[in-house]
Amino acid sequence: TTRNTKRKKIKIVLIGAASASFGPKTVVDLFVNEELGKLDVEVVLVDVDEPNLEATYRFAGMVAERTGSKIKVSAATDYAEALPGAKYVITSVARKRNELWDLDFRVPLAMGFKHVLGENGGPGAAFHTMRSFELMVPIAREIERLAPRALLLNFTNPESRICLAVS
């Protein structure tokens, strides 16, 4: 018998990769994963913020060099360009996150509704949810169209509400 030595190919798309916390932490998690190191893995970093995306891309290169990882990395500003062939899509997207998150807390408070923060619960989360739907639903539709067999792993808040909307 002939043993198949060809490594399994996996494409992972990170949408929102220029985020200061999501992008770098996820890159490190992927590059230090021993199981992924045994596979032919391509990671595509995606974000509309070109300067921060470039910084995350450079960071990924440094992590690859430091860890000796063979994971291939590329970057794109258009997720539709990155999605074809994806096996996994990991999302963490927001627009004006800190500025609007503050309002999610302050506006209900001004109306007499006290709650903890406003991202995942309480009245402020309704605002956050609507902003996140506006970003995530089009992404989910493109995943269905361009990578219909991909698994979507969502980290966009409010996570449970986004998962309900997408499903």
Side-chain angles (χ1 to χ4, degrees), residues 59-79:
F59 175 76
M62 290 186 296
V63 173
E65 185 178 319
R66 189 95 193 263
T67 62
S69 175
K70 302 295 184 220
I71 291 176
K72 296 173 211 72
V73 181
S74 61
T77 56
D78 180 359
Y79 57 79

Side-chain angles (χ1 to χ4, degrees), residues 11-162:
K11 182 177 184 180
I12 303 169
V13 178
L14 303 181
I15 301 176
S19 159
S21 61
F22 168 73
K25 289 178 182 177
T26 306
V27 163
V28 169
D29 285 348
L30 293 172
F31 281 61
V32 300
N33 183 293
E34 291 179 23
E35 291 302 312
L36 289 178
K38 298 173 186 173
L39 306 171
D40 183 3
V41 178
E42 174 189 5
V43 173
V44 184
L45 308 171
V46 180
D47 207 293
V48 295
D49 183 336
E50 288 187 60
N52 286 344
L53 177 61
E54 178 61 30
T56 303
Y57 176 74
R58 284 193 315 273
F59 175 76
M62 290 186 296
V63 173
E65 185 178 319
R66 189 95 193 263
T67 62
S69 175
K70 302 295 184 220
I71 291 176
K72 296 173 211 72
V73 181
S74 61
T77 56
D78 180 359
Y79 57 79
E81 174 187 312
L83 287 171
K87 183 161 178 86
Y88 300 97
V89 180
I90 307 172
T91 56
S92 182
V93 296
R95 189 175 292 133
K96 298 182 184 179
R97 184 184 185 278
N98 291 333
E99 175 186 337
L100 295 172
W101 189 23
D102 185 55
L103 291 175
D104 292 345
F105 177 74
R106 293 185 185 283
V107 170
L109 185 60
M111 300 302 206
F113 294 97
K114 293 181 183 179
H115 61 106
V116 177
L117 303 175
E119 191 167 34
N120 290 304
F127 306 133
H128 193 122
T129 299
M130 288 184 276
R131 286 193 310 276
S132 294
F133 282 177
E134 180 183 55
L135 297 171
M136 280 301 301
V137 169
I139 291 170
R141 286 187 177 135
E142 286 297 276
I143 293 169
E144 283 182 325
R145 187 172 75 83
L146 299 170
R149 299 188 56 81
L151 176 64
L152 169 60
L153 303 168
N154 173 60
F155 287 93
T156 298
N157 280 323
E159 287 178 348
S160 64
R161 294 175 184 193
I162 296 303

